[in-house]
Amino acid sequence: MKKKSILLVLTLMLTQMYGQKIDTLTTSKKLSYKSFIIPSAFIATGAILLNSEFNKDIQTKTNNIFGSGFRSQADNIFPLVPIGQIYAGKYLGFKPKNDVRNQTVNILIANTATLIVVEVTKHLVKKDRPDQSNNLSFPSGHTAIAFTNASLLFYEYRDVNFWYASSGFLFAGATAAFRIANDKHYASDVLTGAGIGLASGILFSHISPLQSLRISKNKKATALIYPQLGNQIGLGAIIQPNF
């Protein structure tokens, strides 16, 4: 019953976040429900594994391979590597889909949306971490952010160089593996985190987030949307009038 409740909560959250049609967002014709089949499968699998014996067995075997005292900070770096690749691609001779301004907006909005979904889910589920440090294990935020950025990288360059575009998923996968090896997350946590990150990256790779605000027919103001990651998670905006 608990697993069904978790699946229902995640489904409702994703429906609210990804299913609404917003007039201020321009959606690509290529975006459809089929784009979210794989992310949904990751999320569902993670939810099903939650509290299962198989989930614990995976953790035990991982600890046996890496050692119970294994600790690495690499999982704090890997999620950010695809962001560097997004900006570096044009200097390597690959033509990006968006300019730097749009790339930055996509990165900020997608990562903020991912963080909101992850944090809300963590506080709803309250799953203890493998190392018992707190009860915010499910889902993995590091993994979610890594897959968000890997997805943004993929859709930014997939039409010009598939292998470069796909390389971000190596770092995303490594992030998930290291989160388990560091005894911070179970397999269920990283699978669901990966699904949330993929869904967010796919969504914001196909839409153009609100970038300008028209005040009147003759005057315009530019609005920069950015995440607030201090005491509260949310969105902020800087509006610059052009007279």
Side-chain angles (χ1 to χ4, degrees), residues 108-157:
L108 292 177
I109 299 296
N111 278 270
T112 299
T114 297
L115 284 173
I116 291 173
V117 174
V118 166
E119 290 301 317
V120 170
T121 308
K122 281 178 180 289
H123 286 86
L124 284 174
V125 179
K126 295 182 179 180
K127 171 68 176 178
D128 289 332
R129 292 184 186 272
D131 64 358
Q132 302 298 309
S133 58
N134 60 43
N135 64 350
L136 301 176
S137 184
F138 182 89
S140 169
H142 283 70
T143 305
I145 291 298
F147 275 88
T148 296
N149 294 325
S151 298
L152 292 175
L153 172 66
F154 178 75
Y155 284 98
E156 190 71 24
Y157 292 102

Side-chain angles (χ1 to χ4, degrees), residues 190-212:
V190 299
L191 283 170
T192 299
I196 293 172
L198 283 171
S200 182
I202 291 171
L203 176 67
F204 290 101
S205 292
H206 287 80
I207 64 177
S208 179
L210 191 61
Q211 297 174 37
S212 62

Side-chain angles (χ1 to χ4, degrees), residues 23 25 43 52 67 81 90 151 169 171 180 191 200-201:
D23 292 338
L25 298 180
I43 293 171
S52 69
V81 173
K90 67 177 182 179
S151 298
F169 291 111
F171 295 99
I180 297 176
L191 283 170
S200 182

